[in-house]
Amino acid sequence: GGGGAAAAAAGGGGLLAGVKMWLLGGALVATGAVQTAMGSPTLESMVQSSTPIEQAIGSGRPTVIEFYGTRCSRCQAAARDLQPVENRAVHDQGINWVMINTDDPRWEPVWTMYHVDELPHFEFFDATGKEVGFEAGEVQVAR
């Protein structure tokens, strides 16, 4: 049958499995083993390539908001696997990938609104801006 890899990845509890998978169009399935040419990705490099939230709101495109902390070791570890996922989502699918630093007090109303109590925390929105789900905690990227 078709879609075996996607089904296997979703069944394996990979990052963003299930309801979020359609949003990213299966972009997460084959990206875990990809490394960027610039060396090992970091949280900082993900932040630099992310979409400003002001630009994402009302853009008419699906959006992922990733809440992170600069001292969050799980966030740092996840960046290595997530950078290629972010790149593919943004460049191939036109998805906004917004990074919100929970150490920055000016974002407190945002992370309070989404009940962020574990990092990293991901909120998923469709192209109309409707929230379609979230993931929190340790990140598993399908390999």
Side-chain angles (χ1 to χ4, degrees):
L15 172 68
L16 323 182
V19 70
K20 278 77 69 178
M21 202 64 167
W22 70 267
L23 176 65
L24 300 184
L28 308 179
V29 175
T31 54
V34 176
Q35 278 298 335
T36 62
M38 291 90 67
S40 193
T42 63
L43 202 52
E44 190 54 44
S45 67
M46 282 194 74
V47 171
Q48 286 169 1
S49 61
S50 67
T51 310
I53 193 167
E54 305 79 22
Q55 189 180 316
I57 292 169
S59 68
R61 294 176 13 213
T63 298
V64 176
I65 299 181
E66 177 179 349
F67 295 90
Y68 71 96
T70 48
R71 294 181 300 277
C72 162
S73 58
R74 279 198 299 211
C75 303
Q76 301 281 357
R80 186 185 67 245
D81 290 334
L82 282 175
Q83 178 86 58
V85 174
E86 177 193 16
N87 288 345
R88 186 169 301 185
V90 171
H91 297 296
D92 298 351
Q93 271 113 2
I95 293 169
N96 297 311
W97 195 293
V98 177
M99 303 280 291
I100 300 283
N101 184 353
T102 59
D103 296 330
D104 186 336
R106 73 193 162 122
W107 296 118
E108 186 172 358
V110 181
W111 50 264
T112 302
M113 182 166 65
Y114 292 109
H115 309 288
V116 175
D117 54 10
E118 185 178 15
L119 295 175
H121 179 108
F122 303 86
E123 289 284 338
F124 303 93
F125 302 87
D126 67 15
T128 69
K130 178 171 170 275
E131 187 180 356
V132 293
F134 74 94
E135 295 269 338
E138 194 166 351
V139 173
Q140 298 293 325
V141 174
R143 292 199 182 279

mmCIF file of all heavy atoms in Angstrom, residues 15 21 39 42 52 54-55 69 92 126 133:
data_model
loop_
_atom_site.group_PDB
_atom_site.id
_atom_site.type_symbol
_atom_site.label_atom_id
_atom_site.label_comp_id
_atom_site.label_asym_id
_atom_site.label_seq_id
_atom_site.Cartn_x
_atom_site.Cartn_y
_atom_site.Cartn_z
ATOM 1 N N LEU A 15 7.578 12.850 16.071
ATOM 2 C CA LEU A 15 7.202 14.233 16.339
ATOM 3 C C LEU A 15 5.988 14.628 15.516
ATOM 4 O O LEU A 15 5.927 14.377 14.328
ATOM 5 C CB LEU A 15 8.394 15.137 15.980
ATOM 6 C CG LEU A 15 8.123 16.634 16.024
ATOM 7 C CD1 LEU A 15 7.894 17.083 17.443
ATOM 8 C CD2 LEU A 15 9.278 17.390 15.434
ATOM 9 N N MET A 21 0.021 15.809 11.637
ATOM 10 C CA MET A 21 0.778 15.322 10.484
ATOM 11 C C MET A 21 0.275 15.954 9.187
ATOM 12 O O MET A 21 1.051 16.359 8.341
ATOM 13 C CB MET A 21 0.661 13.799 10.404
ATOM 14 C CG MET A 21 1.757 13.162 9.621
ATOM 15 S SD MET A 21 3.375 13.411 10.395
ATOM 16 C CE MET A 21 4.311 12.240 9.449
ATOM 17 N N GLY A 39 26.868 22.885 9.382
ATOM 18 C CA GLY A 39 27.266 22.231 10.625
ATOM 19 C C GLY A 39 26.044 21.915 11.460
ATOM 20 O O GLY A 39 24.925 21.931 10.974
ATOM 21 N N THR A 42 21.620 24.733 15.841
ATOM 22 C CA THR A 42 21.460 25.084 17.251
ATOM 23 C C THR A 42 20.127 25.794 17.426
ATOM 24 O O THR A 42 19.489 26.212 16.452
ATOM 25 C CB THR A 42 22.573 26.046 17.700
ATOM 26 O OG1 THR A 42 22.452 27.257 16.941
ATOM 27 C CG2 THR A 42 23.947 25.440 17.518
ATOM 28 N N PRO A 52 8.855 35.963 12.338
ATOM 29 C CA PRO A 52 8.362 36.824 13.429
ATOM 30 C C PRO A 52 6.855 36.617 13.613
ATOM 31 O O PRO A 52 6.130 36.486 12.623
ATOM 32 C CB PRO A 52 8.659 38.244 12.940
ATOM 33 C CG PRO A 52 9.678 38.087 11.847
ATOM 34 C CD PRO A 52 9.436 36.739 11.237
ATOM 35 N N GLU A 54 4.534 38.618 14.389
ATOM 36 C CA GLU A 54 3.732 39.673 13.775
ATOM 37 C C GLU A 54 3.479 39.349 12.301
ATOM 38 O O GLU A 54 2.428 39.663 11.745
ATOM 39 C CB GLU A 54 4.437 41.035 13.861
ATOM 40 C CG GLU A 54 4.834 41.476 15.270
ATOM 41 C CD GLU A 54 6.114 40.808 15.789
ATOM 42 O OE1 GLU A 54 6.937 40.338 14.967
ATOM 43 O OE2 GLU A 54 6.281 40.735 17.009
ATOM 44 N N GLN A 55 4.468 38.744 11.647
ATOM 45 C CA GLN A 55 4.370 38.390 10.235
ATOM 46 C C GLN A 55 3.477 37.155 10.052
ATOM 47 O O GLN A 55 2.750 37.041 9.068
ATOM 48 C CB GLN A 55 5.785 38.096 9.723
ATOM 49 C CG GLN A 55 5.916 37.925 8.234
ATOM 50 C CD GLN A 55 7.369 37.649 7.860
ATOM 51 O OE1 GLN A 55 8.288 38.292 8.358
ATOM 52 N NE2 GLN A 55 7.573 36.666 7.006
ATOM 53 N N GLY A 69 13.066 27.579 25.950
ATOM 54 C CA GLY A 69 13.820 28.354 26.923
ATOM 55 C C GLY A 69 15.288 28.246 26.590
ATOM 56 O O GLY A 69 15.751 27.199 26.147
ATOM 57 N N ASP A 92 9.585 24.650 1.703
ATOM 58 C CA ASP A 92 8.856 23.789 0.774
ATOM 59 C C ASP A 92 7.346 23.919 0.915
ATOM 60 O O ASP A 92 6.615 23.809 -0.060
ATOM 61 C CB ASP A 92 9.251 22.313 0.960
ATOM 62 C CG ASP A 92 10.734 22.073 0.669
ATOM 63 O OD1 ASP A 92 11.395 23.010 0.167
ATOM 64 O OD2 ASP A 92 11.212 20.969 0.941
ATOM 65 N N ASP A 126 -3.975 26.136 11.603
ATOM 66 C CA ASP A 126 -4.185 25.973 10.166
ATOM 67 C C ASP A 126 -4.090 27.346 9.487
ATOM 68 O O ASP A 126 -3.818 28.357 10.139
ATOM 69 C CB ASP A 126 -5.505 25.246 9.876
ATOM 70 C CG ASP A 126 -6.746 26.050 10.263
ATOM 71 O OD1 ASP A 126 -6.639 27.280 10.502
ATOM 72 O OD2 ASP A 126 -7.829 25.439 10.329
ATOM 73 N N GLY A 133 -4.042 21.863 17.434
ATOM 74 C CA GLY A 133 -3.412 20.902 18.333
ATOM 75 C C GLY A 133 -2.098 21.405 18.879
ATOM 76 O O GLY A 133 -1.632 22.488 18.533
#
